[in-house]
Amino acid sequence: MARVLNFNPGPAALPISALERAQQELLDFQGTGMSVMEHSHRGKDFEAVHNEAIASIRELLSIPDDYHVLFLQGGASQQFAMVPMNLLPPGRSADYILTGAWGKKAYEEAKNVGTVRVAATTEENKTYVRVPAQGELKLDPEAAYVHFTSNETIHGVQFDQFPDTGKVPLVCDMSSDFMWRKFDVRRFALIYAGAQKNIGPSGITVVIVRKDLVEGARKDIPKIFRYGVHAENNSLYNTPPTFGIYMIRNVMTWIKESGGLSQIEAWNREKARLVYDCLDELSGFYRAPVQKQSRSVMNIVFRLPTEDLEAKLIADAKKAGMVGLKGHRSVGGIRISSYNAMSVDGIKQLVGFMKDFAKANG
Ligand code: PMP
């Protein structure tokens, strides 16, 4: 079996044990004579999987009882619209902190729904290389909520400390750094994350939302977009992507069997340290644009002296069995996506390759 080292930004690498379990159970799920995909979403066999996936997320993140955990569709992009549709009533305004392309997209979409303000942006010279300091935030104390993106997947900019918004509800797009470590859910009113980076396949967005916010949300929007409708139905208002939920269950089992989120965090920190140390040592060849305190643990971006060399690195890496290193088409360069399922050993192989590449081409 020839598995490549997969550095794709999402959909991304999944833990081998989660895939193998799916393979073993594919034709006959737990003696039922059919695949989990063929089960009714309302039957007891699928219901057990669904509830186990939710319970595991709750357990791993110690999510308090006054929060719902929902599995929704439409990607994180749908949340760009659902957040203001539910939480931004007429006559109110919401604040957005922009640290990259995704936050900007969320802001632009919210404009289609209601009144929004930019509380801070770090866009300088058409790019983003840092998160703002707390003191730079121009927060509206009356805002309906403050939205930010904890990790910008394209620009490789990540918040280490979450912004402090006082009493104003904090909403976070955690798509590309959800569950890379444990964090205090209580800091947030709502968190959303597309599954396809750290916790499963594409097609599912996890939403963690405080119950009182859902109760106070707007009811004059289509039912399918109301958090309350999905919460009342345990995310089974309509047919969910059952196989994706099953895969999330398998990935959560892998996290638990690996030692939980403290072990996952230790691996992620070690992987990021190995790559950034290499970039810093060879800074005459590799150029990492993001300021040190805002460097992403998940998506590591850098440039080479020329675009030709970048293309060569991608091609040579592919020959060596490493794929997915091309930067996003909007920014170019190289991007290493190092999500939970990428092993420390995989990163060591990549760093060895990068050192050899610099020696041969520098
Ligand atoms: N937010 C972030 C931080 C992302 O990385 C992405 C996808 N790469 C999105 C939102 C959009 O997600 P989706 O394609 O699932 O709508």
Side-chain angles (χ1 to χ4, degrees), residues 233-262:
N233 291 283
N234 189 28
S235 303
L236 293 166
Y237 168 67
N238 64 327
T239 317
T242 51
F243 191 70
I245 291 168
Y246 161 81
M247 282 305 298
I248 290 181
R249 193 281 304 259
N250 288 2
V251 175
M252 294 304 108
T253 303
W254 168 75
I255 293 180
K256 287 197 241 177
E257 288 174 356
S258 301
L261 286 174
S262 56

Side-chain angles (χ1 to χ4, degrees), residues 13 88 104 110 125 127-128 274 289 335:
L88 181 54
K104 194 162 184 188
N125 305 318
T127 189
Y128 301 83
L274 287 165
R335 168 173 55 179

Side-chain angles (χ1 to χ4, degrees), residues 143-195:
Y145 62 83
V146 179
H147 179 283
F148 79 110
T149 313
S150 50
N151 182 64
E152 281 286 353
T153 323
I154 295 175
H155 291 91
V157 170
Q158 186 176 30
F159 281 83
D160 182 37
Q161 305 289 322
F162 301 127
D164 182 356
T165 57
K167 288 197 167 60
V168 179
L170 185 58
V171 174
C172 183
D173 175 359
M174 234 180 241
S175 291
S176 51
D177 65 349
F178 185 56
M179 295 189 92
W180 78 273
R181 64 169 170 182
K182 196 155 178 175
F183 61 93
D184 182 8
V185 171
R186 285 214 175 276
R187 293 282 313 274
F188 298 90
L190 188 150
I191 295 159
Y192 61 91

Side-chain angles (χ1 to χ4, degrees), residues 44-200:
K44 67 173 176 24
D45 295 294
F46 177 73
E47 198 185 14
V49 171
H50 184 83
N51 288 336
E52 187 187 335
I54 293 171
S56 294
I57 293 173
R58 282 194 174 280
E59 178 192 327
L60 285 163
L61 288 172
S62 306
I63 300 175
D65 287 344
D66 54 334
Y67 285 77
H68 295 293
V69 176
L70 309 176
F71 290 144
L72 304 184
Q73 301 184 57
S77 301
Q78 183 166 303
Q79 295 309 307
F80 295 169
M82 269 180 80
V83 166
M85 284 167 87
N86 281 269
L87 307 182
L88 181 54
R92 302 284 302 278
S93 162
D95 275 355
Y96 279 71
I97 300 171
L98 312 186
T99 54
W102 291 111
K104 194 162 184 188
K105 227 171 159 183
Y107 166 73
E108 295 294 340
E109 183 73 311
K111 269 196 211 167
N112 292 321
V113 179
T115 307
V116 283
R117 285 174 73 241
V118 174
T121 174
T122 54
E123 187 171 15
E124 284 145 6
N125 305 318
K126 295 200 167 129
T127 189
Y128 301 83
V129 295
R130 64 184 186 91
V131 300
Q134 179 68 31
E136 283 177 78
L137 306 180
K138 296 196 173 57
L139 297 170
D140 168 7
E142 300 298 321
Y145 62 83
V146 179
H147 179 283
F148 79 110
T149 313
S150 50
N151 182 64
E152 281 286 353
T153 323
I154 295 175
H155 291 91
V157 170
Q158 186 176 30
F159 281 83
D160 182 37
Q161 305 289 322
F162 301 127
D164 182 356
T165 57
K167 288 197 167 60
V168 179
L170 185 58
V171 174
C172 183
D173 175 359
M174 234 180 241
S175 291
S176 51
D177 65 349
F178 185 56
M179 295 189 92
W180 78 273
R181 64 169 170 182
K182 196 155 178 175
F183 61 93
D184 182 8
V185 171
R186 285 214 175 276
R187 293 282 313 274
F188 298 90
L190 188 150
I191 295 159
Y192 61 91
Q196 67 268 26
K197 291 139 195 322
N198 261 340
I199 66 158

